[in-house]
Short mmCIF file of all heavy atoms in Angstrom, two decimals:
data_model
loop_
_atom_site.label_atom_id
_atom_site.label_comp_id
_atom_site.label_asym_id
_atom_site.label_seq_id
_atom_site.Cartn_x
_atom_site.Cartn_y
_atom_site.Cartn_z
N ASP A 1 28.41 2.20 18.26
CA ASP A 1 27.85 1.00 17.58
C ASP A 1 26.42 0.70 17.98
O ASP A 1 25.77 1.45 18.67
CB ASP A 1 28.76 -0.31 18.21
CG ASP A 1 28.79 -0.38 19.59
OD1 ASP A 1 27.82 0.00 20.30
OD2 ASP A 1 29.72 -0.96 20.20
N ALA A 2 25.93 -0.49 17.56
CA ALA A 2 24.47 -0.86 17.76
C ALA A 2 24.13 -0.86 19.24
O ALA A 2 23.09 -0.38 19.57
CB ALA A 2 24.22 -2.22 17.10
N THR A 3 24.99 -1.40 20.09
CA THR A 3 24.59 -1.41 21.51
C THR A 3 24.63 -0.13 22.17
O THR A 3 23.73 0.21 22.85
CB THR A 3 25.67 -2.39 22.24
OG1 THR A 3 25.59 -3.76 21.73
CG2 THR A 3 25.32 -2.48 23.76
N GLN A 4 25.72 0.66 21.79
CA GLN A 4 25.74 1.97 22.36
C GLN A 4 24.45 2.85 21.90
O GLN A 4 24.01 3.63 22.64
CB GLN A 4 27.03 2.67 22.12
CG GLN A 4 28.34 2.00 22.74
CD GLN A 4 29.61 2.58 22.04
OE1 GLN A 4 29.76 2.77 20.92
NE2 GLN A 4 30.47 3.02 23.07
N THR A 5 24.17 2.73 20.61
CA THR A 5 23.03 3.48 20.15
C THR A 5 21.83 3.09 20.82
O THR A 5 20.94 3.97 21.06
CB THR A 5 23.02 3.26 18.61
OG1 THR A 5 24.16 3.69 18.06
CG2 THR A 5 21.83 4.11 18.09
N GLY A 6 21.56 1.80 20.95
CA GLY A 6 20.31 1.36 21.64
C GLY A 6 20.40 1.80 23.05
O GLY A 6 19.25 2.26 23.53
N ILE A 7 21.49 1.89 23.75
CA ILE A 7 21.45 2.44 25.17
C ILE A 7 21.19 3.92 25.20
O ILE A 7 20.36 4.34 26.00
CB ILE A 7 22.88 2.16 25.88
CG1 ILE A 7 22.99 0.64 25.97
CG2 ILE A 7 22.88 2.96 27.20
CD1 ILE A 7 24.46 0.19 26.48
N LEU A 8 21.75 4.66 24.18
CA LEU A 8 21.47 6.07 24.10
C LEU A 8 19.96 6.44 23.97
O LEU A 8 19.40 7.26 24.64
CB LEU A 8 22.30 6.70 22.93
CG LEU A 8 22.06 8.16 22.69
CD1 LEU A 8 22.70 9.05 23.75
CD2 LEU A 8 22.67 8.61 21.34
N LEU A 9 19.36 5.69 22.92
CA LEU A 9 17.92 5.95 22.67
C LEU A 9 17.04 5.53 23.72
O LEU A 9 16.24 6.27 24.21
CB LEU A 9 17.55 5.18 21.29
CG LEU A 9 18.34 5.58 20.05
CD1 LEU A 9 17.95 4.75 18.86
CD2 LEU A 9 18.29 7.06 19.86
N GLY A 10 17.33 4.33 24.39
CA GLY A 10 16.53 3.79 25.44
C GLY A 10 16.73 4.57 26.74
O GLY A 10 15.69 4.56 27.51
N ALA A 11 17.75 5.19 26.93
CA ALA A 11 17.95 5.80 28.20
C ALA A 11 17.60 7.35 28.18
O ALA A 11 17.61 8.05 29.17
CB ALA A 11 19.41 5.64 28.57
N THR A 12 17.43 7.91 26.93
CA THR A 12 17.25 9.34 26.80
C THR A 12 15.87 9.79 26.43
O THR A 12 15.48 10.96 26.69
CB THR A 12 18.42 9.98 25.98
OG1 THR A 12 18.31 9.36 24.70
CG2 THR A 12 19.70 9.79 26.51
N ILE A 13 15.25 8.98 25.52
CA ILE A 13 13.97 9.39 24.93
C ILE A 13 12.88 9.20 25.95
O ILE A 13 12.83 8.18 26.56
CB ILE A 13 13.68 8.59 23.57
CG1 ILE A 13 14.81 8.95 22.62
CG2 ILE A 13 12.30 8.95 23.06
CD1 ILE A 13 14.61 8.17 21.23
N HIS A 14 11.92 10.18 25.94
CA HIS A 14 10.96 10.14 27.09
C HIS A 14 9.90 9.06 26.96
O HIS A 14 9.71 8.36 27.95
CB HIS A 14 10.28 11.52 27.07
CG HIS A 14 11.09 12.80 26.91
ND1 HIS A 14 11.87 12.98 25.87
CD2 HIS A 14 11.35 13.66 27.97
CE1 HIS A 14 12.58 14.08 26.13
NE2 HIS A 14 12.31 14.52 27.29
N ASP A 15 9.27 8.89 25.91
CA ASP A 15 8.09 8.01 25.78
C ASP A 15 8.45 6.58 25.14
O ASP A 15 9.37 6.64 24.14
CB ASP A 15 6.79 8.65 25.12
CG ASP A 15 6.07 9.64 26.01
OD1 ASP A 15 6.06 9.29 27.17
OD2 ASP A 15 5.64 10.64 25.40
N MET A 16 7.85 5.65 25.49
CA MET A 16 8.24 4.28 24.86
C MET A 16 7.84 4.19 23.36
O MET A 16 8.65 3.67 22.66
CB MET A 16 7.31 3.20 25.60
CG MET A 16 7.56 1.79 25.00
SD MET A 16 9.25 1.24 25.12
CE MET A 16 9.12 0.55 26.97
N ALA A 17 6.89 4.88 22.92
CA ALA A 17 6.55 4.79 21.56
C ALA A 17 7.67 5.42 20.62
O ALA A 17 8.01 4.75 19.52
CB ALA A 17 5.23 5.63 21.26
N GLN A 18 8.30 6.46 21.10
CA GLN A 18 9.34 7.15 20.36
C GLN A 18 10.62 6.34 20.43
O GLN A 18 11.56 6.42 19.55
CB GLN A 18 9.60 8.64 20.70
CG GLN A 18 8.46 9.42 20.30
CD GLN A 18 7.24 9.57 21.21
OE1 GLN A 18 7.14 8.63 22.13
NE2 GLN A 18 6.39 10.56 21.01
N VAL A 19 10.74 5.68 21.65
CA VAL A 19 11.94 4.80 21.73
C VAL A 19 11.95 3.69 20.75
O VAL A 19 12.89 3.41 20.06
CB VAL A 19 12.03 4.33 23.20
CG1 VAL A 19 13.12 3.07 23.27
CG2 VAL A 19 12.38 5.28 24.20
N VAL A 20 10.74 3.12 20.61
CA VAL A 20 10.51 1.99 19.70
C VAL A 20 10.86 2.59 18.25
O VAL A 20 11.48 1.88 17.39
CB VAL A 20 9.20 1.39 19.84
CG1 VAL A 20 8.83 0.52 18.61
CG2 VAL A 20 9.00 0.72 21.19
N GLY A 21 10.17 3.73 17.97
CA GLY A 21 10.26 4.32 16.64
C GLY A 21 11.79 4.61 16.24
O GLY A 21 12.07 4.24 15.09
N ALA A 22 12.45 5.25 17.11
CA ALA A 22 13.91 5.52 16.94
C ALA A 22 14.73 4.29 16.75
O ALA A 22 15.51 4.19 15.85
CB ALA A 22 14.40 6.41 17.90
N GLY A 23 14.57 3.36 17.69
CA GLY A 23 15.41 2.17 17.65
C GLY A 23 15.30 1.29 16.40
O GLY A 23 16.27 0.99 15.90
N TYR A 24 14.09 0.90 16.20
CA TYR A 24 13.87 0.02 15.19
C TYR A 24 13.88 0.70 13.76
O TYR A 24 13.87 0.00 12.71
CB TYR A 24 12.47 -0.65 15.24
CG TYR A 24 12.54 -1.73 16.31
CD1 TYR A 24 11.93 -1.50 17.78
CD2 TYR A 24 13.22 -3.00 16.19
CE1 TYR A 24 11.96 -2.45 18.62
CE2 TYR A 24 13.18 -3.93 17.16
CZ TYR A 24 12.58 -3.61 18.45
OH TYR A 24 12.71 -4.62 19.45
N SER A 25 13.92 2.06 13.73
CA SER A 25 14.04 2.73 12.46
C SER A 25 15.64 2.54 12.02
O SER A 25 15.98 2.78 10.83
CB SER A 25 13.80 4.15 12.51
OG SER A 25 14.75 4.88 13.39
N ILE A 26 16.49 2.19 12.97
CA ILE A 26 17.94 1.94 12.58
C ILE A 26 18.13 0.45 12.35
O ILE A 26 18.64 0.11 11.22
CB ILE A 26 18.76 2.42 13.76
CG1 ILE A 26 18.62 3.90 14.10
CG2 ILE A 26 20.30 2.20 13.44
CD1 ILE A 26 19.36 4.42 15.30
N SER A 27 17.83 -0.35 13.27
CA SER A 27 18.04 -1.85 13.03
C SER A 27 17.29 -2.53 14.15
O SER A 27 16.96 -1.89 15.26
CB SER A 27 19.47 -2.32 13.00
OG SER A 27 20.05 -1.92 14.24
N GLU A 28 17.15 -3.89 13.99
CA GLU A 28 16.45 -4.65 14.97
C GLU A 28 17.28 -4.77 16.34
O GLU A 28 16.79 -4.57 17.38
CB GLU A 28 16.12 -6.07 14.53
CG GLU A 28 15.34 -6.79 15.47
CD GLU A 28 14.72 -8.13 14.92
OE1 GLU A 28 14.24 -7.97 13.84
OE2 GLU A 28 14.71 -9.13 15.58
N PRO A 29 18.69 -5.02 16.17
CA PRO A 29 19.43 -5.01 17.29
C PRO A 29 19.47 -3.73 18.21
O PRO A 29 19.35 -3.73 19.49
CB PRO A 29 20.95 -5.29 16.85
CG PRO A 29 20.66 -6.03 15.52
CD PRO A 29 19.49 -5.32 14.93
N VAL A 30 19.46 -2.47 17.46
CA VAL A 30 19.40 -1.21 18.10
C VAL A 30 18.07 -1.15 18.91
O VAL A 30 17.98 -0.70 20.11
CB VAL A 30 19.59 -0.16 17.13
CG1 VAL A 30 19.30 1.21 17.89
CG2 VAL A 30 20.94 -0.02 16.68
#
């Protein structure tokens, strides 16, 4: 779900820029 996806992206992607890019490319909650 959105929360689990956000945790996955925020906890595994190395740099902040790509975390932002990946997360907000899905949805704002993610």
Side-chain angles (χ1 to χ4, degrees):
D1 60 23
T3 299
Q4 290 173 314
T5 301
I7 293 171
L8 175 71
L9 300 179
T12 58
I13 299 178
H14 311 68
D15 284 326
M16 178 63 84
Q18 288 88 342
V19 169
V20 170
Y24 288 104
S25 71
I26 300 174
S27 69
E28 184 168 322
V30 171

